[in-house]
C-alpha cells in the first residue's frame, strides 16, 4: 500500500439520503475505533518544503494528489489503518476528508443519520458559554469533525476526547464545505506560524498545509440524543 495521498472521494457534497447506520466492513473489523482516528503506524511524512513561483507552500517532490480541487496542499500521512495502536486524539487527514465530503459517520464510515430536521452532528457543549459575540451558537459553527449515525453516536461521545467534557447533539439542515484547517506557514519561508482554520476564499490558504476539511453548519437545532 502506498504512503501517497489518494484523490478526493468522488462523492458529491450533498449525496442523496441513504439508510442511516448501514453496516460497513470497517465497523465490523474495528467496532470500537472511530474510522477517522489515526493509528500509531500512520505517522506524518516529512517531504521537503519550498515556496513555489506562485507564492504557495509546496513539496519539493509534489504530485497531483497532494492538492485538492481548490489547490490546497494536504498533509502527507502514512496509510496503515489497523496497524499499531489507535490514537483517538489524532485524526487521519485523508479519512477525515473522505467522510466529511461524503457526509458519512466519523465512527463507522456508513451514512450519517438524517431526518426531516437534518443531519446529526455531535459538538462540544458551548451552551453555557456562548458569550455576547455568539448568541446563536451552534449556528454558523465551523465543524472539523464529521457527522455521526445513531448507532455510533454514543461511542463517539466516549471515544472522542473533545466530546468527553460535554457535548450536544445537533440536527443540521445545511452544511456546505467552507474551508480547511491545518498548519499555516510563513509566506516567504517554509516555517510554521500557527494552526489556522481558513475559508477557501482566504488567500492565506496558499501558505497552509491542510489536515482537516471544514463544513459550516446552518439551520441548526439542538436535539436530545436517543
Amino acid at each position: 500500500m502506498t504512503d501517497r495521498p489518494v484523490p478526493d472521494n468522488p462523492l458529491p457534497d450533498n449525496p442523496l439520503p441513504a439508510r442511516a447506520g448501514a453496516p460497513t466492513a470497517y465497523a465490523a473489523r474495528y467496532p470500537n475505533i472511530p474510522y477517522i482516528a489515526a493509528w500509531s503506524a500512520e505517522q506524518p511524512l516529512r517531504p521537503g518544503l519550498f515556496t513555489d513561483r506562485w507564492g504557495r507552500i509546496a513539496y519539493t517532490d509534489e504530485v497531483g494528489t497532494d492538492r485538492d480541487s481548490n489547490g490546497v496542499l494536504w498533509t502527507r500521512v502514512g496509510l496503515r489503518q489497523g496497524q499499531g495502536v489507535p490514537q483517538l486524539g489524532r485524526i487521519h487527514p485523508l479519512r477525515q476528508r473522505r467522510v466529511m465530503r461524503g457526509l458519512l459517520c466519523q465512527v463507522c464510515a456508513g451514512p450519517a443519520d438524517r431526518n426531516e430536521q437534518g443531519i446529526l452532528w455531535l459538538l462540544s457543549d458551548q451552551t453555557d458559554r456562548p458569550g455576547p459575540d455568539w448568541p446563536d451558537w451552534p449556528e454558523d459553527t465551523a465543524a472539523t469533525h464529521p457527522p455521526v449515525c445513531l448507532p455510533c453516536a454514543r461511542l463517539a461521545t466516549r471515544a472522542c476526547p473533545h466530546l468527553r467534557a460535554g457535548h450536544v447533539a445537533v440536527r443540521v439542515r445545511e452544511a456546505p464545505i467552507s474551508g480547511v484547517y491545518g498548519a499555516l506557514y510563513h509566506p516567504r519561508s517554509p516555517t510554521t506560524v500557527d494552526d489556522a482554520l481558513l475559508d477557501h476564499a482566504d488567500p492565506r490558504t496558499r501558505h497552509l498545509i491542510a489536515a482537516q476539511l471544514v463544513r459550516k453548519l446552518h439551520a441548526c437545532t439542538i436535539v436530545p440524543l436517543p
Side-chain angles (χ1 to χ4, degrees):
M1 183 179 293
T2 178
D3 282 336
R4 294 286 188 180
V6 296
D8 284 343
N9 187 288
L11 287 171
D13 286 351
N14 294 294
L16 294 173
R19 182 170 61 85
T24 66
Y26 177 84
R29 187 173 182 183
Y30 306 111
N32 297 312
I33 308 301
Y35 176 78
I36 64 171
W39 293 71
S40 58
E42 298 180 311
Q43 293 301 313
L45 306 178
R46 304 294 183 186
L49 296 174
F50 75 108
T51 301
D52 68 14
R53 59 179 176 171
W54 296 283
R56 307 177 304 178
I57 193 75
Y59 294 143
T60 53
D61 60 346
E62 187 172 317
V63 296
T65 51
D66 285 326
R67 294 185 186 272
D68 62 22
S69 58
N70 290 288
V72 177
L73 189 65
W74 276 78
T75 304
R76 282 186 187 171
V77 180
L79 295 172
R80 297 288 184 269
Q81 190 177 36
Q83 297 183 27
V85 178
Q87 300 181 326
L88 301 181
R90 191 164 67 90
I91 293 175
H92 194 280
L94 299 182
R95 292 197 291 274
Q96 187 270 356
R97 183 168 55 164
R98 175 181 179 264
V99 296
M100 190 68 102
R101 280 176 58 86
L103 290 172
L104 305 177
C105 174
Q106 61 172 282
V107 178
C108 71
D113 189 78
R114 70 169 76 205
N115 62 17
E116 65 280 357
Q117 290 181 297
I119 297 172
L120 180 63
W121 243 274
L122 295 176
L123 305 177
S124 296
D125 191 357
Q126 304 289 323
T127 54
D128 61 344
R129 51 185 186 279
D133 295 331
W134 203 345
D136 297 328
W137 184 89
E139 194 67 24
D140 295 331
T141 292
T144 57
H145 285 73
V148 293
C149 68
L150 274 176
C152 291
R154 288 295 182 191
L155 175 59
T157 64
R158 298 192 301 270
C160 185
H162 90 286
L163 296 175
R164 291 176 193 154
H167 57 270
V168 294
V170 180
R171 290 286 182 178
V172 180
R173 290 183 184 275
E174 300 176 13
I177 292 174
S178 61
V180 285
Y181 171 82
L184 186 64
Y185 282 71
H186 193 280
R188 288 180 294 278
S189 65
T191 55
T192 54
V193 176
D194 202 356
D195 291 341
L197 192 158
L198 303 178
D199 288 342
H200 277 132
D202 193 317
R204 291 177 296 167
T205 55
R206 295 185 304 163
H207 312 132
L208 185 105
I209 299 183
Q212 297 179 48
L213 191 64
V214 177
R215 282 185 181 267
K216 192 68 69 71
L217 308 186
H218 303 299
C220 301
T221 304
I222 295 177
V223 297
L225 186 62

